[in-house]
Amino acid sequence: MQTLTETTILVNLVTALLSAVLSIYVIRLWYKQENRLSTDLPLMFGITFVGQAVNNVMLALPLMGYVAATLLYFKLRALWLVLTIFPLLGVIVNIWMPKRQKHHNKILGLLMFYWLLVVGLSPTEEVVIRLHMPVILMLTIAMVVTFAIVWKTNRLKEVRSELIVLTFALGTVGQAIKAVLQLDFVTQVFTAIGTILIVIALVNPWYRRKNGSGKSTKADPEAPLQYA
């Protein structure tokens, strides 16, 4: 049991370090673009990686004995997960509702209000997880469906959509393993692999090599699926 705990701590910390490094990389990638938008994928995933890095550290701290695994601490971690979940929800809303931009903040605001309300009023960790799960499932399904369509229709050549689909599929498998076998370190290994795959998908060296310039191009703003 001690070995399993130490392994879980190590995997969480390594995943946190990897997420932090890659967040800096993709945010710098976004910053170098000639035309930067707040909804660009590199920025959104960069923010998500920051949230993921801190979340992994927070997962490790109770196992290391630095903090008590109380309900309050769990709720603080659930609040921090806003940085991991909501940037990607913003991506989905922006992709599927490009002509309804004035409603984007309302949709995200309602979802965030629900998320915070659950954290504030739930009496146990189990209730928080159960009530947050619909938002997480909605995000996962939406990301898989969105980038599967993009992949099949070859709509967004700037990113490797199949790698994004694979990442979220791995995340789903990892969560299933955690739920059934209670092996948190396996979930974190899947998370680390998924983080690397996302960065490869966003950088897409094949596209850059083919086009030579390495500059990102924007999709048609009138199209139902767009990059930013």
Side-chain angles (χ1 to χ4, degrees), residues 70-85:
T70 63
L71 176 61
L72 176 60
Y73 184 77
F74 177 84
K75 287 188 174 185
L76 288 175
R77 192 167 67 83
L79 288 175
W80 181 260
L81 283 176
V82 166
L83 273 185
T84 303
I85 301 295

Side-chain angles (χ1 to χ4, degrees), residues 12 15-16 19-20 22-24 27 43-59 76-87 188 191 195:
N12 271 295
T15 303
S19 299
L22 294 179
S23 70
I24 295 172
I27 289 175
L43 177 62
M44 292 296 97
F45 276 106
I47 295 172
T48 292
F49 291 160
V50 171
Q52 180 176 285
V54 175
N55 180 56
N56 281 110
V57 172
M58 295 181 75
L59 283 169
L76 288 175
R77 192 167 67 83
L79 288 175
W80 181 260
L81 283 176
V82 166
L83 273 185
T84 303
I85 301 295
F86 281 84
Q188 298 310 321
T191 299
T195 301

Side-chain angles (χ1 to χ4, degrees), residues 3-149:
T3 301
L4 180 59
T5 300
E6 292 174 351
T7 302
T8 303
I9 292 171
L10 178 62
V11 172
N12 271 295
L13 293 180
V14 170
T15 303
L17 179 61
L18 178 66
S19 299
V21 171
L22 294 179
S23 70
I24 295 172
Y25 179 73
V26 293
I27 289 175
R28 285 185 72 246
L29 182 70
W30 168 79
Y31 187 75
K32 288 181 178 180
Q33 291 180 177
E34 292 183 358
N35 300 310
R36 295 188 298 271
L37 296 175
S38 61
T39 51
D40 284 341
L41 289 181
L43 177 62
M44 292 296 97
F45 276 106
I47 295 172
T48 292
F49 291 160
V50 171
Q52 180 176 285
V54 175
N55 180 56
N56 281 110
V57 172
M58 295 181 75
L59 283 169
L61 289 179
L63 298 175
M64 298 167 70
Y66 290 122
V67 297
T70 63
L71 176 61
L72 176 60
Y73 184 77
F74 177 84
K75 287 188 174 185
L76 288 175
R77 192 167 67 83
L79 288 175
W80 181 260
L81 283 176
V82 166
L83 273 185
T84 303
I85 301 295
F86 281 84
L88 300 185
L89 284 172
V91 169
I92 293 301
V93 171
N94 189 66
I95 286 175
W96 285 105
M97 301 178 65
K99 298 181 180 180
R100 299 287 187 273
Q101 292 187 8
K102 64 180 181 180
H103 298 302
H104 291 183
N105 289 337
K106 295 177 185 177
I107 295 170
L108 294 175
L110 285 173
L111 288 172
M112 185 172 292
F113 177 75
Y114 170 78
W115 187 277
L116 298 179
L117 193 67
V118 167
V119 173
L121 299 182
S122 296
T124 65
E125 294 182 14
E126 290 73 17
V127 173
V128 174
I129 294 172
R130 190 177 302 118
L131 294 179
H132 277 174
M133 193 55 62
V135 178
I136 297 172
L137 284 176
M138 179 180 66
L139 170 64
T140 302
I141 294 171
M143 290 295 284
V144 170
V145 170
T146 298
F147 285 97
I149 293 173

Side-chain angles (χ1 to χ4, degrees), residues 193-205:
I193 294 172
T195 301
I196 295 172
L197 290 177
I198 285 287
V199 172
I200 295 173
L202 295 176
V203 174
N204 194 354

Side-chain angles (χ1 to χ4, degrees), residues 124-193:
T124 65
E125 294 182 14
E126 290 73 17
V127 173
V128 174
I129 294 172
R130 190 177 302 118
L131 294 179
H132 277 174
M133 193 55 62
V135 178
I136 297 172
L137 284 176
M138 179 180 66
L139 170 64
T140 302
I141 294 171
M143 290 295 284
V144 170
V145 170
T146 298
F147 285 97
I149 293 173
V150 171
W151 176 26
K152 290 298 183 182
T153 57
N154 200 27
R155 289 292 300 276
L156 187 57
K157 296 178 181 179
E158 294 94 334
V159 301
R160 295 300 294 246
S161 301
E162 72 274 21
L163 294 182
I164 296 179
V165 173
L166 178 59
T167 295
F168 280 88
L170 285 174
T172 302
V173 172
Q175 289 299 323
I177 291 174
K178 178 180 179 179
V180 175
L181 302 178
Q182 301 298 314
L183 295 177
D184 184 62
F185 74 93
V186 175
T187 303
Q188 298 310 321
V189 169
F190 276 50
T191 299
I193 294 172

